[in-house]
Amino acid sequence: LQKSLSETFGADEYSRARKEVLTYMFSRPMQMALYFCTGILGDETLFHHYALNVPFYTHFTSPIRRYADIVVHRLLSASLGIRPPIAMEKEAIQKQADHCNDRKMASKRVQELSGDLFFSIFVRVRP
C-alpha cells in the first residue's frame, strides 16, 4: 500500500500535500475521543481506552493549547491533592466537556471538507 501511495503522490510541488490529505482520509474512520466528566458516567467500562487496552485513561496536552486541557490539568492536580478541588458541579463540568466536544467535531468537519475539496481538485487535474 505504501509503495502504491508513494507512486500516486508523484514528485511535483503538490506531492507532499497530496500525501497528507490521502493519509488523513485513510485515518478518518477511526473513532474520535470525547471529553466527559467521570462523575456523570456510572459505568466505569466507558473509561476504557480501546487502542491502549487500559481500563482508565485520560488525555491532555499543554494547557496553552485548549481549554479542555486546562480543565483536565486542574482536575488531575486536584485529584492528586496538589491543588484544591475545582468549584464546579459535575453537571457544569460535563456541560463544558460537551461544548469542547462540539467545537472539536465542528473543527474536524471543516478539516474534512477542506481535504475533500483538495482531493476533488487533485482528481480533476490529475491525468
Side-chain angles (χ1 to χ4, degrees):
L1 180 63
Q2 182 63 34
K3 182 180 176 190
S4 175
L5 286 175
S6 293
E7 291 170 2
T8 302
F9 299 143
D12 61 19
E13 62 185 312
Y14 300 109
S15 61
R16 182 176 178 175
R18 282 193 296 274
K19 179 180 179 184
E20 289 179 20
V21 169
L22 291 173
T23 302
Y24 172 75
M25 290 176 81
F26 290 136
S27 66
R28 272 166 75 176
M30 296 167 58
Q31 184 179 3
M32 192 173 190
L34 296 175
Y35 296 107
F36 62 91
C37 176
T38 58
I40 296 293
L41 300 178
D43 183 2
E44 288 187 1
T45 62
L46 296 173
F47 305 168
H48 182 261
H49 190 286
Y50 177 78
L52 297 176
N53 195 26
V54 292
F56 298 102
Y57 177 80
T58 191
H59 169 82
F60 53 88
T61 60
S62 170
I64 63 169
R65 290 191 57 209
R66 295 183 298 228
Y67 177 70
D69 297 318
I70 293 171
V71 174
V72 172
H73 273 250
R74 290 176 181 169
L75 290 169
L76 188 56
S77 294
S79 70
L80 295 172
I82 297 170
R83 61 170 287 144
I86 292 179
M88 289 175 71
E89 296 294 324
K90 59 186 173 186
E91 292 79 12
I93 294 171
Q94 183 59 48
K95 185 175 179 182
Q96 289 294 318
D98 291 340
H99 178 74
C100 290
N101 290 331
D102 179 60
R103 297 292 83 213
K104 186 167 70 165
M105 291 209 192
S107 172
K108 182 174 173 53
R109 182 68 182 137
V110 169
Q111 184 179 13
E112 289 171 354
L113 291 171
S114 173
D116 290 347
L117 175 63
F118 181 86
F119 184 70
S120 298
I121 294 168
F122 164 68
V123 169
R124 176 182 270 176
V125 300
R126 189 84 176 160

